[in-house]
Amino acid sequence: MAVSKNHFPISLVYKSSTTLKNIERLTYPFNRIFMAIQELKPTFDLTEIAKKTMREKNLLTEFLLDVQKATEKTFDHGAISPATKRMTDFLWCSIDNDDSKYLDQLTYAEKLDDETYKIYIAIAEVDHLVPQNSVIDRHAQYNTVSIYTPTKVFPMLPEKLSAGLTSLNEGVDRLAIVVEVEVNDNGALGNFNIYSALVHNHAKLAYNSVSTWLEGNGPIPEKVANVTGMEAQLYLQDTITQLLKEFRNQKGALALETIKPKTIVEKEDAIDIKISKKNRARDLIENFMIVANTITALYLKSKQLPSFRKIVRVPKKWDRIVEIARDLGETLPDQPDSKALDLFLIKQKLLDPVHFPDLSLTIIKLLGNGEYIVEYYDDMPIGHFGLAHADYTHSTAPNRRYLDLITQRIIKAALENKEMPYTLNELEKLAKHCTIQEVEADKVERKMRKSAAMMLLFSKFGEVFDAIITGAGTKGTWVHIFNPSVDGKLVGGFENKDVGDLILVKLIHLDIENGHIDFTKV
């Protein structure tokens, strides 16, 4: 029977413990078999696999015809209300990934005196071009998020909007919701305000080049040098970021540091896995966005309006975290304590910075996933265990996350003294729906990262890797290998293993189309 190149049962060929290098040393006839197998290396259309996976998760892969027609008729009419502030002369800039084209936020800062700063976060005004209950809005409400796969982004909103008319692109004026807040010299937040404004992105910047420059390890980015005053502006934002970080750490925000693998694909063939780590520029944006989300929550509470919160409740596996700390010679309280955990993490980062991302990954898994809830102004805040914030909502990505768009509509209603655009019952249902859809979208993204990474693993059957246990439960045991940075299932030798354990594993099975990578303990 002829074997399709795309469905060759590669796991059956390489389930022995013999490595490829040993196979190549076998006698001539077997070497010819090896060469033939290499010719049968699977080739897959990763975009089509992504679409198939999304359909299995009940997610839309295309914009329906009525959405396309509505998008074609959408234009930025440029109507600006008298209450809209004109802030185009401010030295706004965006900092994002090198290839990002969906720009939700701009930042700006100023020093008021020796003890006080003021920061501004401009958030893309999406609602004026995506009205509530319009056909475009109903599509966005279905998936609830943009989905990122190695070969294609499936945006929540059509490209004309998400990368165009509502994106805070360089060199154009755009409507925005601006969060303005004072920061004192110890990083605490003070007086704040939220309003509508017209803004202008003077420089589209990238994390890596800005961070390298801020850390003194590279030249000033060309776009920074080309805008008068932008160099001083970014140094000021960086200075304020350090104050914000220190204040959050004192309150018990967890000093986690994770690695984010991204598979580089060219012409449906994986060629590399790049690791994104925290750096000065990412810290800057992360801390400014935390401020924006915190102030938005406080603003809505001051207006006696509900808000969405994504909460990480008290960790269910705190006892395992305590056990891991004990193995490293440290003692944590028997009851969950974010401040004590943060002090432990800070110490471990100083003692062993090389392996700190592995420890961070373990702690993140043990903290558990967040969930969206609706919090009313008079509720006792549940808060976010990992961020050490009692008041925190999601508002800074309305182009890419539906809950942020809902939050924007509630803010606008408050600013314009209009009625709440949603009933409380509707908000409760949307919170549950968005939680479910984000979990499904995350599953798609994880599977596609694995499917793309498998192309790099094809020649590594039988090889042994250092790994860390990242999940252990009734559904299976999961591991993360470090080089290349890939996750998979441990199908043998998982007895008595728990999250955080370091082990050696051998690659025994790949299934690119279904996203399965299997290892066994050595």
Side-chain angles (χ1 to χ4, degrees), residues 463-474:
E463 290 193 13
V464 175
F465 302 87
D466 292 315
I468 186 171
I469 304 287
T470 57
T474 56

mmCIF file with all atom_site columns, all heavy atoms in Angstrom, residues 463-474:
data_model
loop_
_atom_site.group_PDB
_atom_site.id
_atom_site.type_symbol
_atom_site.label_atom_id
_atom_site.label_alt_id
_atom_site.label_comp_id
_atom_site.label_asym_id
_atom_site.label_entity_id
_atom_site.label_seq_id
_atom_site.pdbx_PDB_ins_code
_atom_site.Cartn_x
_atom_site.Cartn_y
_atom_site.Cartn_z
_atom_site.occupancy
_atom_site.B_iso_or_equiv
_atom_site.pdbx_formal_charge
_atom_site.auth_seq_id
_atom_site.auth_comp_id
_atom_site.auth_asym_id
_atom_site.auth_atom_id
_atom_site.pdbx_PDB_model_num
ATOM 1  N N   . GLU A 1 463 ? 16.559 10.553 20.950 1.00 0.00 ? 463 GLU A N   1
ATOM 2  C CA  . GLU A 1 463 ? 17.512 11.375 21.692 1.00 0.00 ? 463 GLU A CA  1
ATOM 3  C C   . GLU A 1 463 ? 16.984 11.685 23.088 1.00 0.00 ? 463 GLU A C   1
ATOM 4  O O   . GLU A 1 463 ? 15.780 11.667 23.346 1.00 0.00 ? 463 GLU A O   1
ATOM 5  C CB  . GLU A 1 463 ? 17.815 12.667 20.933 1.00 0.00 ? 463 GLU A CB  1
ATOM 6  C CG  . GLU A 1 463 ? 18.633 12.440 19.664 1.00 0.00 ? 463 GLU A CG  1
ATOM 7  C CD  . GLU A 1 463 ? 19.184 13.734 19.105 1.00 0.00 ? 463 GLU A CD  1
ATOM 8  O OE1 . GLU A 1 463 ? 19.159 14.769 19.820 1.00 0.00 ? 463 GLU A OE1 1
ATOM 9  O OE2 . GLU A 1 463 ? 19.648 13.713 17.947 1.00 0.00 ? 463 GLU A OE2 1
ATOM 10 N N   . VAL A 1 464 ? 17.892 11.993 23.986 1.00 0.00 ? 464 VAL A N   1
ATOM 11 C CA  . VAL A 1 464 ? 17.563 12.246 25.391 1.00 0.00 ? 464 VAL A CA  1
ATOM 12 C C   . VAL A 1 464 ? 17.659 13.744 25.671 1.00 0.00 ? 464 VAL A C   1
ATOM 13 O O   . VAL A 1 464 ? 18.586 14.420 25.201 1.00 0.00 ? 464 VAL A O   1
ATOM 14 C CB  . VAL A 1 464 ? 18.507 11.461 26.316 1.00 0.00 ? 464 VAL A CB  1
ATOM 15 C CG1 . VAL A 1 464 ? 18.251 11.817 27.779 1.00 0.00 ? 464 VAL A CG1 1
ATOM 16 C CG2 . VAL A 1 464 ? 18.319 9.956  26.097 1.00 0.00 ? 464 VAL A CG2 1
ATOM 17 N N   . PHE A 1 465 ? 16.699 14.265 26.447 1.00 0.00 ? 465 PHE A N   1
ATOM 18 C CA  . PHE A 1 465 ? 16.622 15.697 26.734 1.00 0.00 ? 465 PHE A CA  1
ATOM 19 C C   . PHE A 1 465 ? 16.453 15.925 28.242 1.00 0.00 ? 465 PHE A C   1
ATOM 20 O O   . PHE A 1 465 ? 15.806 15.135 28.937 1.00 0.00 ? 465 PHE A O   1
ATOM 21 C CB  . PHE A 1 465 ? 15.421 16.332 26.024 1.00 0.00 ? 465 PHE A CB  1
ATOM 22 C CG  . PHE A 1 465 ? 15.410 16.172 24.539 1.00 0.00 ? 465 PHE A CG  1
ATOM 23 C CD1 . PHE A 1 465 ? 14.837 15.037 23.958 1.00 0.00 ? 465 PHE A CD1 1
ATOM 24 C CD2 . PHE A 1 465 ? 15.972 17.130 23.712 1.00 0.00 ? 465 PHE A CD2 1
ATOM 25 C CE1 . PHE A 1 465 ? 14.806 14.889 22.580 1.00 0.00 ? 465 PHE A CE1 1
ATOM 26 C CE2 . PHE A 1 465 ? 15.948 16.983 22.337 1.00 0.00 ? 465 PHE A CE2 1
ATOM 27 C CZ  . PHE A 1 465 ? 15.373 15.863 21.768 1.00 0.00 ? 465 PHE A CZ  1
ATOM 28 N N   . ASP A 1 466 ? 17.006 17.043 28.730 1.00 0.00 ? 466 ASP A N   1
ATOM 29 C CA  . ASP A 1 466 ? 16.670 17.525 30.059 1.00 0.00 ? 466 ASP A CA  1
ATOM 30 C C   . ASP A 1 466 ? 15.247 18.065 30.023 1.00 0.00 ? 466 ASP A C   1
ATOM 31 O O   . ASP A 1 466 ? 14.850 18.723 29.059 1.00 0.00 ? 466 ASP A O   1
ATOM 32 C CB  . ASP A 1 466 ? 17.617 18.652 30.490 1.00 0.00 ? 466 ASP A CB  1
ATOM 33 C CG  . ASP A 1 466 ? 19.029 18.157 30.719 1.00 0.00 ? 466 ASP A CG  1
ATOM 34 O OD1 . ASP A 1 466 ? 19.179 17.108 31.355 1.00 0.00 ? 466 ASP A OD1 1
ATOM 35 O OD2 . ASP A 1 466 ? 19.973 18.819 30.255 1.00 0.00 ? 466 ASP A OD2 1
ATOM 36 N N   . ALA A 1 467 ? 14.467 17.779 31.068 1.00 0.00 ? 467 ALA A N   1
ATOM 37 C CA  . ALA A 1 467 ? 13.068 18.211 31.083 1.00 0.00 ? 467 ALA A CA  1
ATOM 38 C C   . ALA A 1 467 ? 12.633 18.542 32.498 1.00 0.00 ? 467 ALA A C   1
ATOM 39 O O   . ALA A 1 467 ? 13.271 18.154 33.477 1.00 0.00 ? 467 ALA A O   1
ATOM 40 C CB  . ALA A 1 467 ? 12.178 17.115 30.495 1.00 0.00 ? 467 ALA A CB  1
ATOM 41 N N   . ILE A 1 468 ? 11.514 19.263 32.575 1.00 0.00 ? 468 ILE A N   1
ATOM 42 C CA  . ILE A 1 468 ? 10.895 19.583 33.854 1.00 0.00 ? 468 ILE A CA  1
ATOM 43 C C   . ILE A 1 468 ? 9.421  19.215 33.772 1.00 0.00 ? 468 ILE A C   1
ATOM 44 O O   . ILE A 1 468 ? 8.782  19.419 32.723 1.00 0.00 ? 468 ILE A O   1
ATOM 45 C CB  . ILE A 1 468 ? 11.071 21.089 34.202 1.00 0.00 ? 468 ILE A CB  1
ATOM 46 C CG1 . ILE A 1 468 ? 10.551 21.382 35.605 1.00 0.00 ? 468 ILE A CG1 1
ATOM 47 C CG2 . ILE A 1 468 ? 10.375 21.977 33.181 1.00 0.00 ? 468 ILE A CG2 1
ATOM 48 C CD1 . ILE A 1 468 ? 10.896 22.795 36.092 1.00 0.00 ? 468 ILE A CD1 1
ATOM 49 N N   . ILE A 1 469 ? 8.888  18.619 34.841 1.00 0.00 ? 469 ILE A N   1
ATOM 50 C CA  . ILE A 1 469 ? 7.465  18.278 34.880 1.00 0.00 ? 469 ILE A CA  1
ATOM 51 C C   . ILE A 1 469 ? 6.657  19.561 35.041 1.00 0.00 ? 469 ILE A C   1
ATOM 52 O O   . ILE A 1 469 ? 6.875  20.334 35.973 1.00 0.00 ? 469 ILE A O   1
ATOM 53 C CB  . ILE A 1 469 ? 7.148  17.332 36.056 1.00 0.00 ? 469 ILE A CB  1
ATOM 54 C CG1 . ILE A 1 469 ? 8.005  16.060 35.988 1.00 0.00 ? 469 ILE A CG1 1
ATOM 55 C CG2 . ILE A 1 469 ? 5.666  16.988 36.076 1.00 0.00 ? 469 ILE A CG2 1
ATOM 56 C CD1 . ILE A 1 469 ? 7.619  15.089 34.935 1.00 0.00 ? 469 ILE A CD1 1
ATOM 57 N N   . THR A 1 470 ? 5.711  19.809 34.113 1.00 0.00 ? 470 THR A N   1
ATOM 58 C CA  . THR A 1 470 ? 4.898  21.024 34.176 1.00 0.00 ? 470 THR A CA  1
ATOM 59 C C   . THR A 1 470 ? 3.441  20.741 34.495 1.00 0.00 ? 470 THR A C   1
ATOM 60 O O   . THR A 1 470 ? 2.672  21.671 34.741 1.00 0.00 ? 470 THR A O   1
ATOM 61 C CB  . THR A 1 470 ? 4.964  21.785 32.845 1.00 0.00 ? 470 THR A CB  1
ATOM 62 O OG1 . THR A 1 470 ? 4.540  20.925 31.783 1.00 0.00 ? 470 THR A OG1 1
ATOM 63 C CG2 . THR A 1 470 ? 6.377  22.265 32.565 1.00 0.00 ? 470 THR A CG2 1
ATOM 64 N N   . GLY A 1 471 ? 3.042  19.488 34.470 1.00 0.00 ? 471 GLY A N   1
ATOM 65 C CA  . GLY A 1 471 ? 1.666  19.144 34.799 1.00 0.00 ? 471 GLY A CA  1
ATOM 66 C C   . GLY A 1 471 ? 1.581  17.692 35.218 1.00 0.00 ? 471 GLY A C   1
ATOM 67 O O   . GLY A 1 471 ? 2.261  16.842 34.641 1.00 0.00 ? 471 GLY A O   1
ATOM 68 N N   . ALA A 1 472 ? 0.757  17.412 36.210 1.00 0.00 ? 472 ALA A N   1
ATOM 69 C CA  . ALA A 1 472 ? 0.589  16.038 36.679 1.00 0.00 ? 472 ALA A CA  1
ATOM 70 C C   . ALA A 1 472 ? -0.815 15.894 37.238 1.00 0.00 ? 472 ALA A C   1
ATOM 71 O O   . ALA A 1 472 ? -1.174 16.568 38.208 1.00 0.00 ? 472 ALA A O   1
ATOM 72 C CB  . ALA A 1 472 ? 1.629  15.693 37.742 1.00 0.00 ? 472 ALA A CB  1
ATOM 73 N N   . GLY A 1 473 ? -1.629 15.042 36.595 1.00 0.00 ? 473 GLY A N   1
ATOM 74 C CA  . GLY A 1 473 ? -3.001 14.864 37.048 1.00 0.00 ? 473 GLY A CA  1
ATOM 75 C C   . GLY A 1 473 ? -3.634 13.674 36.381 1.00 0.00 ? 473 GLY A C   1
ATOM 76 O O   . GLY A 1 473 ? -2.967 12.850 35.740 1.00 0.00 ? 473 GLY A O   1
ATOM 77 N N   . THR A 1 474 ? -4.946 13.589 36.500 1.00 0.00 ? 474 THR A N   1
ATOM 78 C CA  . THR A 1 474 ? -5.669 12.441 35.960 1.00 0.00 ? 474 THR A CA  1
ATOM 79 C C   . THR A 1 474 ? -5.613 12.382 34.434 1.00 0.00 ? 474 THR A C   1
ATOM 80 O O   . THR A 1 474 ? -5.757 11.319 33.842 1.00 0.00 ? 474 THR A O   1
ATOM 81 C CB  . THR A 1 474 ? -7.140 12.490 36.411 1.00 0.00 ? 474 THR A CB  1
ATOM 82 O OG1 . THR A 1 474 ? -7.712 13.744 36.002 1.00 0.00 ? 474 THR A OG1 1
ATOM 83 C CG2 . THR A 1 474 ? -7.249 12.366 37.921 1.00 0.00 ? 474 THR A CG2 1
#
